């Protein structure tokens, strides 16, 4: 269950699943109707990503329409997904977010992508 109540304006969340032969990625499309403050953005992202992790995912992340996304086996590969992840959380509770709603879009580094790829080994690299 996606915690849409942490986002202002009561957005309608569209849920769908991307699937391959040996992998599955649940996704939620969330329109941001009212931009939160920087602290509000980070708090809402923490709660939202934690809900994804609690549903059984090993890695949760935020992308956006128009940013790079690649299915496994190229998931989190900087050669394919560089600039494609804006925030993330692992099942161990690690969290990264450089988003500032008052600033330009700031994706995570390729170094962080490689860390996520290592963390998601078995999903990120499955064909």
């Amino acid at each position: 269950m996606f915690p849409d109540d942490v986002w202002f304006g009561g957005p309608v969340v569209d849920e769908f699943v991307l699937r391959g032969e040996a992998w599955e990625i649940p996704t939620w499309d969330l329109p941001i109707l009212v931009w939160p403050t920087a602290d509000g953005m980070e708090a809402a992202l923490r709660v939202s990503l934690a809900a994804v992790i609690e549903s059984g995912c090993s890695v949760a992340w935020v992308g956006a329409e128009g940013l790079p996304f690649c299915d496994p086996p190229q998931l989190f590969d900087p050669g394919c997904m560089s600039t494609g992840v804006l925030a993330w959380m692992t099942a161990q509770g690690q969290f990264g977010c450089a988003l500032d709603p008052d600033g330009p879009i700031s994706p995570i580094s390729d170094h962080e992508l490689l860390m996520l790829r290592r963390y998601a080994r078995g999903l990120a690299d499955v064909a």
Side-chain angles (χ1 to χ4, degrees):
M1 190 71 149
F2 190 86
D4 56 358
D5 59 327
V6 300
W7 295 94
F8 296 111
V12 175
V13 179
D14 185 24
E15 183 176 346
F16 56 97
V17 178
L18 301 174
R19 288 185 172 90
E21 285 188 34
W23 56 269
E24 181 175 284
I25 300 174
T27 65
W28 290 267
D29 188 9
L30 172 78
I32 298 179
L33 304 175
V34 178
W35 282 99
T37 63
D39 289 341
M41 174 76 85
E42 184 173 322
L45 286 171
R46 267 187 195 276
V47 170
S48 298
L49 293 174
V52 173
I53 294 295
E54 288 169 14
S55 75
C57 296
S58 58
V59 177
W61 72 95
V62 174
E65 189 171 334
L67 295 182
F69 170 78
C70 298
D71 293 336
Q74 295 174 304
L75 186 63
F76 305 130
D77 181 341
C80 188
M81 281 187 65
S82 187
T83 73
V85 175
L86 304 173
W88 56 271
M89 181 177 280
T90 68
Q92 293 176 334
Q94 297 166 298
F95 173 75
C97 175
L99 282 176
D100 177 351
D102 298 321
I105 296 250
S106 51
I108 68 170
S109 69
D110 287 351
H111 176 75
E112 286 174 289
L113 271 178
L114 288 171
M115 184 271 306
L116 291 176
R117 185 165 174 79
R118 284 188 301 274
Y119 188 84
R121 185 163 292 136
L123 165 64
D125 53 0
V126 70

